[in-house]
Structures are given as structure tokens and as C-alpha cells.
Amino acid sequence: MGVDVGGTKILAIAVDEEGTEIARVRRPTGWGPDAVGDEIARAVAELESVLGVVLGPPVGIGIPGQIVPDTGVVEHAVNLGIERFGLADAVAARIGRRPVVDNDVRAAALGAAALLPDLFSLAYLNLGTGIAAAVVDETGLRRGPRGAAGEIGHLSVDPAGPPCRCGQRGCIESLAGGGSVAERWGMPAELPVLDVFDAADAGIGAAARIRADVVRGVAAAVQLLILSADVDAVVLGGGVAALGDRLAVPVRERLRATATGSPFLRSLRLEERVTAVPGRAPVGALGAALLARTAHPAAPPTRLAPLANPSSTRESIGHS
Amino acid sequence: MGVDVGGTKILAIAVDEEGTEIARVRRPTGWGPDAVGDEIARAVAELESVLGVVLGPPVGIGIPGQIVPDTGVVEHAVNLGIERFGLADAVAARIGRRPVVDNDVRAAALGAAALLPDLFSLAYLNLGTGIAAAVVDETGLRRGPRGAAGEIGHLSVDPAGPPCRCGQRGCIESLAGGGSVAERWGMPAELPVLDVFDAADAGIGAAARIRADVVRGVAAAVQLLILSADVDAVVLGGGVAALGDRLAVPVRERLRATATGSPFLRSLRLEERVTAVPGRAPVGALGAALLARTAHPAAPPTRLAPLANPSSTRESIGHS
């Protein structure tokens, strides 16, 4: 079972041995340690009810914030009202078994890797309210900074760019983060960046400027990840990535154009190395479910390609 | 024995079990595959002569370029006139044993880690003609992009910055790379960046502008490495880093100032996480010597801290 804890909603799924989703449940996230712990436990209980079991399979939780390694303690989950909380212990007390807890972007990276088995390695670039990335290679999830995902959002790529709450200008997050887009657009919406792209298509200048910043911010993040890490591709995820090709196509064009003057950069074929997860796959919850399969959370997860070839590993992968 | 192949000079050293240098030899690098192979072999032969041995200990070679994993083949060593060359084979034929070959920045990272055992992990930032980085953590040298070091030099952090040969403007290399500094300064010198800093101290405006770009380029590289990788500190190396504190102090101040508006960035204490290798230690050659100690080059090197505590590992570390 995998629980993906978002800023406002929880998605919990149960998957079978092949990693195929067999049930899902949504709940509000709640605010503050007790409420969040309760809602997670209730999501698990609802899934068990749907599955018709009393004590369900192992549970994995992906949650925004920093996870203190090997403790199940989450810190600095600011948007959930959590400064420091023993989440694994609290949920274990409610559901009768100890969940594995990891950062949500890291869990999503694992889920993306399971759905893209042709890639030997990938960086999952989460384009949410903020921007962060996590890397999966053949050793599994690559260790990240102090139990968090790579916080590349606060790297400035333009000193003359839009101001960021972090005090810098033109950082990747102020260019392309959902929170910054919403603030610059100014009009409430379910997904402000969608309104921005629609208005830009309709010729609204202010929207076109924001869109251009989103495209160059995402392209900078992709180039950064490919140049500094060892990944076959960057996978776009998160709310802003819900734009699909409307985002991916201009990002690829930007990467191609940026490389024009350099045989070295052209040789990297950056524009061929940006992709998205298939459809509207719940990569966060799927990845959290996969986390639960590792016997020892600190060990590298098993290579995810077998999920596409279940006959070779059926006996070794249990229900989760 | 470790051989550090630079753009113009080779430095080869022999070290004892504790990693202490016992002999060193310098030779010109030569140009083109045959000349470079010859000069490396001659350097090894000279060291054997100094040591009074006929067949010396295992040899490691650090060379600029991309190394095809597990083959000893070096590619794209443009400044050495090498497009693709079976270096390990060529040197083996001359010295009677097969050397381990790796990228020079990666070797230097290993050497730096040996000399800074208090760090659990580090990114070695090579500020040479170009800019690249390699990471060492408790698993050893972290895998890098396709047998090279992290080519972070071509990430643009200022669209209005100085033009780079790669076609972009304001990339880290055009701000802080030794080649760019030399080109912008325009006057020949052994180490142009030293002349730039001296002239800036003397009040020359053009020099002050180049110096400011070097400082902000290095600071951006440090911030990028710390935010995207999991390292305790960034270690400055290479020609530009020979400036020592004249570079490190303003870089730390820049990092501190950049973080002023963000509790998150301040919490990272970036300015406390930049350091340099002790003195004028030959980290490239030392690291190359350490490479030679791994029985299987693809395996992670042993944790280097023991080099500072030889009594615990004397019997397991041979001469190299």
C-alpha cells in the first residue's frame, strides 16, 4: 500500500504483485501532526475495508518534508503544519504495523522509474508549488541531501529574474514553481499555470512572459540535472507538468536552441532526454507502495524493471 | 603510484602505505595519443628508477577526458589531442602492468577526500581552464556522467553574463573558468586570474569586474553542488583555486549574503561548507595512486579516512 501525502489531499493505493493498482482512496490531508497522522491511518483503514482485509500489507508513505534517515521522523513539512513529528511511530500505533516513510518527491521518483523501465536512470523533476528532484539509477533511489529531495529550486539562473521568497531573483523556483506562477498571475484558479498558458495562447502579454519564464526555468532545471547527475532522462512531474506537451514541447525547443552554439551540449541531445510519466499515473502513491517492499528501508530498492516482467519475479514480490 | 596528467605537465608520485608521498617526477604531457602514452610510461620508469625497483607497484592515472567504464579507453581529451585512445593498454605494454585510468577531476576528488578525513562526503570543484566537479561519499567516488566528472561549467546563471564558447552567456565557466578569465583579461600570464586579483586590489575597474564574476561563478557552483548533491562540503581545487583565501573569503561572503533572505538557505550554512585542500597537496596524483589500490576498479574505493589512521589498516594497504 502506498500513501501519497500532498499539501491538501492524500491519495492511498493498494497494488498487486505486478505493481498494478487494485484500489484507491482519497482523503483530506489535514493540518498539524495529529490530524495528518489520523488521516493517513484512516486512508489505510479505508483501503483495508475495500480490500476486505483486517490487517493489510506493508505500507509506504511519501510526504513533503525531510525524513530523518532510519527513524520515520519527518521534519520541516511546513505546508502541513509539521515541524518535527514521529510519523512512522504515530501511524504504526494506529494501523498495527510500522510504515516506511520517505520524502514525497523521492517516492514519486521510484514510481516513475517503475513505469519507465526502459530508462536505466532518471531524475524525477517535481514541478509543484516548489521545485525539487530525486534520482533513481540501477542502485535504486540515489541518496539525497539529508533525507530530502534535491532542492534545486533555489538556484538562481538569472539575477534579473522574478524575485523569490528566498530573497534571490530568478531562481528556478521563482521562474517555474507553481507557487510563483500563482502569485504572479494573481487570479485564483485550480491550476493557475493552466490559465497562464491559455491566456498566453490567446495573446495576453503578461501571461506570455510568465509562460516564457516557466519554460526557461524548467529547461534550466533539466540541463542542470543532466549535466550534474548521471541520468538517461529527466521525467517531469507535479502540478505544472500536468500541462503535458504544452510544457514539454517548448522546453525541448528551448534546450535545443540553447545548445546551438556548442558541439558538447548538442552531443548531450538534451531535448531527447525530457519525458513525462505515462497518463495520469499516481507515481507518488505507487512509489510509496514500492518503498514498502524493501525489507530494510535503508537498502537500495530492487531494480524496478521486473515490474514490467512479472513472470521473472512473481514469487519474490509480495502484496503491498 | 599515481600519475596526474595535466594539459601541459604530468606529475607522477609514489606513495607509501599511509598515502605519504615518497617520490615525485614531472614530465611534459606531450600531444596526441602516442606522445601522451610515452610520457606517462617514462614518468613511471623514472619513478621506478628513483625507488630503485625494476617492476613497480600498481599505477593509477588521472587524465582529463571521458573514460569509457572498465576499458581504460579515454575519449574527448581535446586539449591533449586525443579523440579516442586505449590508454590503459598502451601504457600496460610499456610498463608491464595494467594501470587504472580515471578522469582527472575524479581522481583529484579521491585525493582531496584522503586529505580531509573529517568530511563524510565532499564535492571536489575543479576550477581549471574549465569547471567540473566530482563527488566522494562513504561509498567512495560517486558515479558520474558517462565516465566524466560533473560538467557543471555550462550551466548558465546569468543570461546577461559574459559570452561563453559554448554559445550561452553567463555560464559558470564563462564567469569563473580559467580560460574565460584569461581571454577577458587579454594579457598573457602564468596564472591570469592572479594578475586579475592583483589588479583588482590595485583598483583597476576592468579587473574588479572579472574578479566579481569569478566570485559569483564559484559561489553559484558551490550552491548548486550543495543543493543538488549530498555533501558536507565543497572543496576548491585547480588553478583558480590557487588563489587560496583571496578567493575563498569573498566566495564565503557571497554565499552568506545570498542566503540573507531565506531561512532555508541560511540553515544550510553554505559559507561554512567551502574549503580547500591543505597546502599545495598534489590531490590529482594522490587520488590516482589511491585508484590503483582498488582490486577491481569498478568497486567503490575503501573509505579513505584510514589513511589518517594507518595502524588500523596497515596490513591491508599495499604500496602504490
Side-chain angles (χ1 to χ4, degrees):
Chain A
M1 283 185 182
V3 182
D4 179 23
V5 182
T8 48
K9 294 190 297 290
I10 288 172
L11 173 67
I13 68 172
V15 298
D16 65 14
E17 291 96 337
E18 279 113 75
T20 307
E21 181 184 327
I22 53 181
R24 69 162 60 180
V25 151
R26 286 187 183 278
R27 291 203 63 81
T29 295
W31 203 86
D34 293 332
V36 172
D38 274 347
E39 294 294 351
I40 292 171
R42 282 177 203 170
V44 171
E46 282 188 33
L47 268 180
E48 288 168 339
S49 173
V50 167
L51 295 175
V53 299
V54 173
L55 187 70
V59 171
I61 302 171
I63 186 166
Q66 284 176 249
I67 315 303
V68 180
D70 303 324
T71 65
V73 171
V74 56
E75 292 183 324
H76 311 312
V78 176
N79 57 341
L80 303 179
I82 292 174
E83 186 46 40
R84 182 183 168 91
F85 181 45
L87 179 66
D89 286 345
V91 172
R94 291 168 173 80
I95 67 171
R97 54 206 186 279
R98 190 179 176 77
V100 177
V101 181
D102 205 338
N103 167 271
D104 63 327
V105 174
R106 288 168 53 79
L110 221 53
L115 296 175
L116 296 166
D118 289 341
L119 297 177
F120 288 107
S121 59
L122 63 88
Y124 180 81
L125 175 59
N126 189 57
L127 305 172
T129 305
I131 292 186
V135 176
V136 180
D137 60 26
E138 68 278 2
T139 69
L141 258 173
R142 198 177 289 175
R143 63 176 289 171
R146 316 261 182 263
E151 294 291 335
I152 61 170
H154 295 293
L155 290 161
S156 168
V157 295
D158 183 2
C164 182
R165 293 174 182 223
C166 75
Q168 298 176 106
R169 292 185 71 105
C171 39
I172 287 173
E173 195 159 295
S174 74
L175 289 169
S180 170
V181 168
E183 204 166 305
R184 295 171 73 196
W185 184 234
M187 283 174 280
E190 173 91 17
L191 190 63
V193 71
L194 184 58
D195 288 359
V196 167
F197 272 56
D198 285 343
D201 281 343
I204 307 295
R209 280 188 290 280
I210 298 173
R211 176 170 67 179
D213 284 346
V214 170
V215 170
R216 68 184 177 118
V218 174
V222 170
Q223 187 160 331
L224 184 161
L225 286 165
I226 289 182
L227 282 175
S228 66
D230 184 11
V231 289
D232 288 350
V234 176
V235 181
L236 306 182
V240 172
L243 288 164
D245 275 351
R246 295 177 73 187
L247 175 66
V249 167
V251 164
R252 289 185 190 114
E253 172 53 29
R254 169 87 181 181
L255 289 167
R256 195 204 57 75
T258 303
T260 308
S262 165
F264 164 65
L265 286 174
R266 283 202 307 276
S267 76
L268 296 179
R269 298 172 299 110
L270 296 170
E271 68 278 11
E272 296 176 27
R273 295 164 71 179
V274 189
T275 186
V277 285
R280 299 173 57 84
V283 285
L286 172 62
L290 294 170
L291 279 172
R293 289 189 180 175
T294 55
H296 302 286
T302 41
R303 179 74 178 91
L304 297 165
L307 283 171
N309 297 299
S311 56
S312 61
T313 55
R314 185 181 286 271
E315 56 277 3
S316 65
I317 297 179
H319 208 187
S320 73
Chain B
M1 283 182 181
V3 182
D4 180 23
V5 181
T8 48
K9 293 190 298 289
I10 288 172
L11 173 67
I13 68 173
V15 298
D16 66 13
E17 290 98 340
E18 279 112 76
T20 307
E21 182 183 327
I22 52 181
R24 70 163 57 180
V25 150
R26 286 188 185 277
R27 290 203 65 80
T29 295
W31 204 86
D34 293 333
V36 172
D38 274 345
E39 293 295 350
I40 293 171
R42 282 177 202 170
V44 171
E46 282 188 33
L47 267 181
E48 288 168 337
S49 173
V50 167
L51 295 174
V53 299
V54 173
L55 187 72
V59 171
I61 302 171
I63 185 165
Q66 283 175 248
I67 314 305
V68 180
D70 302 322
T71 65
V73 171
V74 56
E75 291 184 323
H76 311 311
V78 177
N79 55 343
L80 303 180
I82 292 174
E83 185 47 40
R84 182 184 168 93
F85 180 45
L87 180 64
D89 287 344
V91 172
R94 292 168 173 82
I95 67 171
R97 57 207 185 278
R98 190 180 176 77
V100 178
V101 182
D102 206 339
N103 165 271
D104 62 329
V105 173
R106 288 168 53 80
L110 221 53
L115 296 174
L116 296 165
D118 289 342
L119 297 178
F120 287 107
S121 60
L122 63 89
Y124 180 81
L125 177 58
N126 190 58
L127 304 172
T129 305
I131 291 187
V135 177
V136 179
D137 60 27
E138 67 278 3
T139 70
L141 258 174
R142 199 179 288 174
R143 62 176 289 171
R146 315 259 180 265
E151 295 290 336
I152 61 170
H154 295 293
L155 289 161
S156 168
V157 295
D158 182 3
C164 183
R165 293 176 180 221
C166 76
Q168 298 176 106
R169 293 184 71 105
C171 41
I172 287 172
E173 194 160 294
S174 76
L175 289 169
S180 170
V181 168
E183 204 166 304
R184 296 171 71 196
W185 184 235
M187 283 176 279
E190 174 91 17
L191 190 63
V193 71
L194 185 57
D195 288 358
V196 166
F197 272 56
D198 284 345
D201 281 344
I204 307 293
R209 279 187 292 278
I210 299 174
R211 177 171 66 178
D213 283 347
V214 170
V215 170
R216 69 183 176 121
V218 175
V222 169
Q223 188 162 331
L224 184 161
L225 287 166
I226 289 182
L227 281 176
S228 67
D230 183 11
V231 289
D232 287 349
V234 177
V235 181
L236 305 182
V240 173
L243 287 163
D245 275 350
R246 294 176 75 186
L247 174 67
V249 167
V251 165
R252 289 187 190 111
E253 173 53 30
R254 169 89 181 182
L255 289 167
R256 195 204 56 75
T258 303
T260 308
S262 165
F264 164 65
L265 286 175
R266 283 203 306 275
S267 76
L268 296 179
R269 299 172 300 113
L270 297 170
E271 67 280 8
E272 295 176 29
R273 294 163 72 177
V274 188
T275 185
V277 287
R280 298 173 56 84
V283 286
L286 172 60
L290 293 170
L291 279 172
R293 289 191 179 173
T294 55
H296 301 285
T302 41
R303 180 72 180 91
L304 297 163
L307 283 170
N309 297 299
S311 56
S312 62
T313 54
R314 184 180 287 272
E315 56 278 3
S316 64
I317 298 180
H319 206 185
S320 76

